[in-house]
Amino acid sequence: MMKLPLPLRAALFLATLATLPGCGGAGTSSAPTAAATTPAAQAQALEDTLMAHHDRAMAQTEKLFELKAQLTAAKAPAATAPVVAKMQAAEQGMMNWMHHYQAPDSTAPASQRLTYLKEQQQQLAGVERRLRGALDSAQATLHQLPAVGVAPAPAATPSPTK
């Protein structure tokens, strides 16, 4: 497997997102309506909520790319390798969920759609937890590393006294 540079991988990832159904968040509502009383309305409300979670996870994934670039720039592979691996696993989890998610057929029975959407909501919640954990680890690691490109301050030397 050929290893692509981080900016190219990020660009390919974002290009992939543009081709997936449900990405981009256009026309999705972030909260179910109070009138969601019929099973069909409940299924639609749950799907809207799921897409709002997807959009939030996508924002976390974008932040993941930024932090991964910062960790790579830190040039401290021993300190950052486990965190980068955790980030890659979280990113892969998001990609897997997106590639396997299929919006339920609107002609399927509402109970079947609800069951599928609830399962997807649980899976996506797990993805979000992994993303949040990877982001927290990355931020903590970055705070522990010396600033990139900043030379350490010279040790103070006592000034001669007269």
Side-chain angles (χ1 to χ4, degrees):
M1 179 178 203
M2 184 173 68
K3 189 83 166 177
L4 297 174
L6 183 61
L8 183 56
R9 286 194 330 233
L12 288 172
F13 176 75
L14 293 175
T16 301
L17 296 179
T19 64
L20 294 173
C23 290
T28 61
S29 171
S30 63
T33 63
T37 55
T38 67
Q42 290 174 351
Q44 184 59 53
L46 185 55
E47 187 172 6
D48 291 346
T49 300
L50 182 65
M51 287 300 103
H53 282 270
H54 162 268
D55 293 344
R56 187 172 53 238
M58 287 305 304
Q60 289 178 324
T61 303
E62 290 175 24
K63 181 69 175 169
L64 197 74
F65 282 126
E66 294 170 17
L67 292 174
K68 195 184 305 181
Q70 291 175 23
L71 285 170
T72 302
K75 298 195 187 303
T80 61
V83 176
V84 170
K86 186 175 185 176
M87 295 170 85
Q88 289 170 332
E91 174 188 332
Q92 188 60 45
M94 182 65 186
M95 292 295 290
N96 285 339
W97 183 85
M98 288 190 309
H99 284 293
H100 290 102
Y101 175 76
Q102 295 290 321
D105 182 359
S106 62
T107 62
S111 61
Q112 183 180 0
R113 289 184 291 165
L114 277 169
T115 299
Y116 174 75
L117 290 167
K118 286 177 184 177
E119 290 170 0
Q120 292 301 307
Q121 192 172 36
Q122 289 176 346
Q123 288 178 17
L124 188 55
V127 168
E128 285 184 285
R129 281 190 301 275
R130 286 188 295 276
L131 285 168
R132 183 77 256 152
L135 288 169
D136 291 345
S137 295
Q139 289 170 335
T141 301
L142 280 170
H143 286 12
Q144 293 172 356
L145 294 174
V148 177
V150 177
T157 56
S159 59
T161 55
K162 293 187 180 182

